[in-house]
Short mmCIF file of all heavy atoms in Angstrom, two decimals:
data_model
loop_
_atom_site.label_atom_id
_atom_site.label_comp_id
_atom_site.label_asym_id
_atom_site.label_seq_id
_atom_site.Cartn_x
_atom_site.Cartn_y
_atom_site.Cartn_z
N HIS C 45 29.87 140.29 132.41
CA HIS C 45 29.64 139.39 131.23
C HIS C 45 30.26 138.04 131.51
O HIS C 45 29.60 137.04 131.19
CB HIS C 45 30.34 140.12 130.03
CG HIS C 45 30.26 139.30 128.87
ND1 HIS C 45 29.08 139.17 128.13
CD2 HIS C 45 31.18 138.47 128.20
CE1 HIS C 45 29.33 138.35 127.05
NE2 HIS C 45 30.60 138.02 126.96
N ALA C 46 31.41 137.95 132.17
CA ALA C 46 32.12 136.66 132.40
C ALA C 46 31.12 135.84 133.34
O ALA C 46 30.98 134.60 133.05
CB ALA C 46 33.47 136.91 133.02
N LEU C 47 30.69 136.46 134.40
CA LEU C 47 29.75 135.76 135.37
C LEU C 47 28.48 135.40 134.63
O LEU C 47 28.03 134.25 134.79
CB LEU C 47 29.58 136.54 136.53
CG LEU C 47 30.71 136.89 137.45
CD1 LEU C 47 30.33 137.95 138.52
CD2 LEU C 47 31.10 135.64 138.09
N ALA C 48 27.98 136.14 133.77
CA ALA C 48 26.81 135.91 133.02
C ALA C 48 26.91 134.56 132.01
O ALA C 48 26.07 133.81 131.70
CB ALA C 48 26.17 136.98 132.22
N GLN C 49 28.16 134.48 131.51
CA GLN C 49 28.57 133.48 130.66
C GLN C 49 29.01 132.11 131.44
O GLN C 49 29.45 131.19 130.76
CB GLN C 49 29.85 133.89 129.68
CG GLN C 49 29.24 134.93 128.78
CD GLN C 49 28.21 134.56 127.86
OE1 GLN C 49 28.27 133.60 127.13
NE2 GLN C 49 27.16 135.38 127.78
N GLY C 50 29.00 132.10 132.71
CA GLY C 50 29.20 130.99 133.48
C GLY C 50 30.71 130.85 134.10
O GLY C 50 30.98 129.69 134.56
N ALA C 51 31.35 131.97 134.18
CA ALA C 51 32.53 131.83 134.83
C ALA C 51 32.38 131.52 136.27
O ALA C 51 31.47 131.85 136.93
CB ALA C 51 33.26 133.35 134.82
N LEU C 52 33.44 130.72 136.77
CA LEU C 52 33.27 130.25 138.24
C LEU C 52 33.41 131.41 139.13
O LEU C 52 32.93 131.47 140.25
CB LEU C 52 34.31 129.15 138.55
CG LEU C 52 34.10 127.94 137.76
CD1 LEU C 52 35.28 126.95 138.01
CD2 LEU C 52 32.77 127.25 138.00
N ASP C 53 34.17 132.39 138.77
CA ASP C 53 34.48 133.54 139.63
C ASP C 53 35.03 134.70 138.75
O ASP C 53 35.62 134.42 137.69
CB ASP C 53 35.60 133.27 140.75
CG ASP C 53 35.51 134.08 141.85
OD1 ASP C 53 34.69 135.08 141.90
OD2 ASP C 53 36.41 134.02 142.81
N ALA C 54 34.80 135.85 139.13
CA ALA C 54 35.31 136.99 138.52
C ALA C 54 35.39 138.20 139.46
O ALA C 54 34.45 138.39 140.17
CB ALA C 54 34.52 137.46 137.18
N TYR C 55 36.60 138.85 139.55
CA TYR C 55 36.67 139.79 140.58
C TYR C 55 37.75 140.85 140.19
O TYR C 55 38.67 140.48 139.41
CB TYR C 55 36.83 139.32 142.04
CG TYR C 55 38.06 138.40 142.07
CD1 TYR C 55 39.34 138.95 142.32
CD2 TYR C 55 37.96 136.99 141.82
CE1 TYR C 55 40.44 138.02 142.34
CE2 TYR C 55 39.03 136.25 141.85
CZ TYR C 55 40.30 136.71 142.13
OH TYR C 55 41.41 135.76 142.35
N ARG C 56 37.74 142.02 140.79
CA ARG C 56 38.83 142.90 140.49
C ARG C 56 40.02 142.67 141.39
O ARG C 56 39.85 142.32 142.49
CB ARG C 56 38.29 144.44 140.87
CG ARG C 56 37.21 144.94 140.01
CD ARG C 56 36.89 146.42 140.49
NE ARG C 56 35.72 146.85 139.77
CZ ARG C 56 35.73 147.51 138.54
NH1 ARG C 56 36.98 147.80 138.11
NH2 ARG C 56 34.68 147.93 138.00
N LEU C 57 41.19 142.91 140.70
CA LEU C 57 42.47 142.77 141.50
C LEU C 57 42.75 144.14 141.98
O LEU C 57 42.44 145.10 141.42
CB LEU C 57 43.55 142.21 140.60
CG LEU C 57 43.38 140.81 140.14
CD1 LEU C 57 44.50 140.55 139.10
CD2 LEU C 57 43.29 139.92 141.16
N PRO C 58 43.42 144.16 143.20
CA PRO C 58 43.71 145.62 143.74
C PRO C 58 44.96 146.03 143.00
O PRO C 58 46.14 145.71 143.30
CB PRO C 58 44.11 145.29 145.17
CG PRO C 58 44.37 143.73 145.31
CD PRO C 58 43.68 143.19 144.17
N ALA C 59 44.75 146.83 141.93
CA ALA C 59 45.81 147.45 141.21
C ALA C 59 45.63 148.98 141.14
O ALA C 59 44.50 149.47 141.00
CB ALA C 59 45.79 146.83 139.81
N ALA C 60 46.74 149.70 141.12
CA ALA C 60 46.57 151.14 141.15
C ALA C 60 46.40 151.75 139.74
O ALA C 60 46.07 152.83 139.63
CB ALA C 60 47.91 151.67 141.80
N ALA C 61 46.64 150.91 138.81
CA ALA C 61 46.43 151.52 137.32
C ALA C 61 46.09 150.28 136.39
O ALA C 61 46.07 149.16 136.84
CB ALA C 61 47.61 152.13 136.92
N ALA C 62 45.92 150.49 135.15
CA ALA C 62 45.55 149.51 134.27
C ALA C 62 46.82 148.95 133.53
O ALA C 62 47.07 149.07 132.29
CB ALA C 62 44.63 150.18 133.12
N TYR C 63 47.64 148.41 134.47
CA TYR C 63 48.99 147.79 134.15
C TYR C 63 48.74 146.76 132.93
O TYR C 63 47.81 146.11 132.85
CB TYR C 63 49.73 147.22 135.18
CG TYR C 63 49.98 148.28 136.27
CD1 TYR C 63 49.40 148.16 137.56
CD2 TYR C 63 50.95 149.31 136.10
CE1 TYR C 63 49.69 149.03 138.54
CE2 TYR C 63 51.23 150.20 137.08
CZ TYR C 63 50.64 150.11 138.29
OH TYR C 63 50.82 150.97 139.24
N HIS C 64 49.94 146.70 132.16
CA HIS C 64 50.04 145.71 131.04
C HIS C 64 48.84 145.92 129.89
O HIS C 64 48.36 145.07 129.34
CB HIS C 64 49.89 144.21 131.65
CG HIS C 64 50.92 144.11 132.64
ND1 HIS C 64 52.27 144.28 132.56
CD2 HIS C 64 50.59 143.84 133.89
CE1 HIS C 64 52.81 144.05 133.67
NE2 HIS C 64 51.91 143.74 134.56
N SER C 65 48.47 147.19 129.75
CA SER C 65 47.54 147.55 128.70
C SER C 65 47.96 148.80 128.02
O SER C 65 48.85 149.58 128.51
CB SER C 65 46.17 147.78 129.27
OG SER C 65 46.09 148.89 130.06
N GLU C 66 47.27 149.15 126.91
CA GLU C 66 47.63 150.33 126.08
C GLU C 66 47.23 151.62 127.03
O GLU C 66 47.77 152.70 126.69
CB GLU C 66 46.85 150.39 124.84
CG GLU C 66 47.37 149.40 123.77
CD GLU C 66 48.75 149.77 123.46
OE1 GLU C 66 49.06 150.91 123.16
OE2 GLU C 66 49.72 148.83 123.41
N HIS C 67 46.42 151.48 128.10
CA HIS C 67 46.15 152.65 128.91
C HIS C 67 47.40 153.16 129.52
O HIS C 67 47.44 154.35 130.01
CB HIS C 67 45.09 152.25 129.98
CG HIS C 67 43.74 151.88 129.37
ND1 HIS C 67 42.90 152.84 128.77
CD2 HIS C 67 43.10 150.69 129.14
CE1 HIS C 67 41.83 152.27 128.31
NE2 HIS C 67 41.87 150.95 128.67
N MET C 68 48.41 152.33 129.66
CA MET C 68 49.64 152.82 130.35
C MET C 68 50.67 153.44 129.27
O MET C 68 51.70 153.84 129.71
CB MET C 68 50.35 151.53 130.90
CG MET C 68 49.46 150.97 132.10
SD MET C 68 49.14 152.20 133.46
CE MET C 68 50.74 152.43 134.09
N ARG C 69 50.25 153.54 128.04
CA ARG C 69 51.27 154.11 127.06
C ARG C 69 51.82 155.47 127.50
O ARG C 69 53.06 155.66 127.41
CB ARG C 69 50.61 154.06 125.68
CG ARG C 69 51.50 154.52 124.70
CD ARG C 69 52.47 153.58 123.94
NE ARG C 69 51.84 152.19 123.67
CZ ARG C 69 52.52 151.22 123.66
NH1 ARG C 69 53.83 151.24 123.91
NH2 ARG C 69 52.05 149.97 123.42
N PRO C 70 51.05 156.44 127.94
CA PRO C 70 51.56 157.68 128.40
C PRO C 70 52.59 157.52 129.51
O PRO C 70 53.66 158.18 129.49
CB PRO C 70 50.33 158.59 128.72
CG PRO C 70 49.21 157.90 127.97
CD PRO C 70 49.60 156.48 127.83
N ALA C 71 52.21 156.70 130.50
CA ALA C 71 53.06 156.49 131.63
C ALA C 71 54.40 155.86 131.12
O ALA C 71 55.48 156.24 131.64
CB ALA C 71 52.47 155.68 132.68
N ALA C 72 54.33 154.92 130.18
CA ALA C 72 55.58 154.25 129.69
C ALA C 72 56.41 155.24 129.00
O ALA C 72 57.67 155.22 129.26
CB ALA C 72 55.17 153.17 128.81
N SER C 73 55.89 156.10 128.26
CA SER C 73 56.61 157.25 127.64
C SER C 73 57.32 158.13 128.67
O SER C 73 58.50 158.35 128.52
CB SER C 73 55.71 157.99 126.66
OG SER C 73 56.52 158.98 126.05
N ALA C 74 56.62 158.56 129.64
CA ALA C 74 57.15 159.36 130.68
C ALA C 74 58.32 158.53 131.43
O ALA C 74 59.43 159.13 131.78
CB ALA C 74 56.15 159.88 131.61
N PHE C 75 57.97 157.40 131.72
CA PHE C 75 59.05 156.57 132.51
C PHE C 75 60.34 156.33 131.63
O PHE C 75 61.35 156.40 132.11
CB PHE C 75 58.44 155.17 132.78
CG PHE C 75 59.18 154.32 133.79
CD1 PHE C 75 59.85 154.84 134.89
CD2 PHE C 75 59.24 152.95 133.65
CE1 PHE C 75 60.55 154.09 135.77
CE2 PHE C 75 59.93 152.13 134.42
CZ PHE C 75 60.62 152.68 135.60
N CYS C 76 60.02 156.22 130.32
CA CYS C 76 61.23 156.06 129.48
C CYS C 76 62.20 157.28 129.40
O CYS C 76 63.33 157.24 129.38
CB CYS C 76 60.89 155.79 128.08
SG CYS C 76 62.10 155.12 126.89
N SER C 77 61.42 158.42 129.50
CA SER C 77 62.27 159.69 129.60
C SER C 77 62.98 159.84 130.91
O SER C 77 64.15 160.28 130.76
CB SER C 77 61.31 160.89 129.50
OG SER C 77 60.54 160.91 128.31
N VAL C 78 62.51 159.37 131.92
CA VAL C 78 63.24 159.32 133.29
C VAL C 78 64.32 158.38 133.12
O VAL C 78 65.56 158.81 133.57
CB VAL C 78 62.27 158.97 134.39
CG1 VAL C 78 63.08 158.66 135.72
CG2 VAL C 78 61.19 160.08 134.59
N LEU C 79 64.04 157.23 132.55
CA LEU C 79 65.17 156.27 132.60
C LEU C 79 66.34 156.67 131.70
O LEU C 79 67.48 156.21 131.82
CB LEU C 79 64.57 154.92 132.14
CG LEU C 79 63.58 154.13 133.02
CD1 LEU C 79 63.01 152.96 132.28
CD2 LEU C 79 64.29 153.83 134.37
N ALA C 80 65.99 157.42 130.67
CA ALA C 80 67.09 158.03 129.83
C ALA C 80 68.25 158.71 130.51
O ALA C 80 69.27 158.89 130.04
CB ALA C 80 66.45 158.73 128.72
N HIS C 81 67.86 159.35 131.66
CA HIS C 81 68.87 160.07 132.39
C HIS C 81 69.69 159.14 133.41
O HIS C 81 70.44 159.72 134.17
CB HIS C 81 68.15 161.12 133.19
CG HIS C 81 67.49 162.10 132.33
ND1 HIS C 81 68.21 163.05 131.50
CD2 HIS C 81 66.16 162.42 132.01
CE1 HIS C 81 67.28 163.77 130.76
NE2 HIS C 81 66.12 163.35 131.06
N LEU C 82 69.18 157.84 133.48
CA LEU C 82 69.92 156.94 134.32
C LEU C 82 70.95 156.15 133.58
O LEU C 82 70.72 155.79 132.43
CB LEU C 82 68.97 155.97 135.07
CG LEU C 82 67.91 156.67 135.94
CD1 LEU C 82 66.94 155.78 136.45
CD2 LEU C 82 68.62 157.52 137.15
N GLU C 83 72.02 155.68 134.24
CA GLU C 83 72.92 154.74 133.46
C GLU C 83 72.72 153.34 134.16
O GLU C 83 73.24 153.04 135.24
CB GLU C 83 74.41 155.18 133.84
CG GLU C 83 75.34 154.29 133.01
CD GLU C 83 76.80 154.97 133.07
OE1 GLU C 83 77.00 156.01 133.36
OE2 GLU C 83 77.79 154.00 133.02
N LEU C 84 71.91 152.56 133.41
CA LEU C 84 71.68 151.20 133.96
C LEU C 84 72.78 150.35 133.39
O LEU C 84 73.05 150.45 132.04
CB LEU C 84 70.22 150.78 133.49
CG LEU C 84 69.06 151.58 133.95
CD1 LEU C 84 67.67 150.99 133.32
CD2 LEU C 84 69.03 151.49 135.55
N THR C 85 73.26 149.42 134.19
CA THR C 85 74.29 148.61 133.68
C THR C 85 73.77 147.25 133.25
O THR C 85 72.67 146.84 133.48
CB THR C 85 75.31 148.36 134.72
OG1 THR C 85 74.63 147.78 135.96
CG2 THR C 85 76.05 149.74 135.18
N LYS C 86 74.56 146.45 132.69
CA LYS C 86 74.23 144.98 132.29
C LYS C 86 73.97 144.32 133.52
O LYS C 86 74.61 144.31 134.54
CB LYS C 86 75.61 144.47 131.67
CG LYS C 86 75.35 143.02 131.33
CD LYS C 86 76.65 142.50 130.65
CE LYS C 86 76.66 141.00 130.41
NZ LYS C 86 77.80 140.44 129.83
N PRO C 87 72.79 143.50 133.40
CA PRO C 87 72.42 142.69 134.66
C PRO C 87 73.53 141.67 134.95
O PRO C 87 74.17 141.21 134.09
CB PRO C 87 71.20 141.98 134.08
CG PRO C 87 70.68 142.76 133.04
CD PRO C 87 71.89 143.49 132.36
N ARG C 88 73.77 141.46 136.27
CA ARG C 88 74.85 140.52 136.68
C ARG C 88 74.30 139.13 136.82
O ARG C 88 75.14 138.23 136.90
CB ARG C 88 75.38 141.03 138.08
CG ARG C 88 76.16 142.25 137.94
CD ARG C 88 76.79 142.74 139.28
NE ARG C 88 75.70 143.12 140.14
CZ ARG C 88 75.81 143.31 141.45
NH1 ARG C 88 77.03 143.21 141.97
NH2 ARG C 88 74.89 143.78 142.13
N THR C 89 73.03 138.97 136.75
CA THR C 89 72.37 137.57 136.76
C THR C 89 71.53 137.43 135.60
O THR C 89 71.02 138.53 134.90
CB THR C 89 71.62 137.41 138.04
OG1 THR C 89 70.52 138.34 138.06
CG2 THR C 89 72.41 137.48 139.28
#
Side-chain angles (χ1 to χ4, degrees):
H45 181 73
L47 292 171
Q49 294 298 311
L52 296 177
D53 200 2
Y55 54 89
R56 288 181 190 272
L57 295 175
Y63 298 113
H64 311 300
S65 76
E66 287 299 314
H67 296 287
M68 296 302 296
R69 183 83 44 209
S73 179
F75 190 40
C76 196
S77 296
V78 169
L79 292 172
H81 299 289
L82 300 176
E83 186 177 331
L84 298 177
T85 60
K86 174 182 175 180
R88 290 184 288 171
T89 61

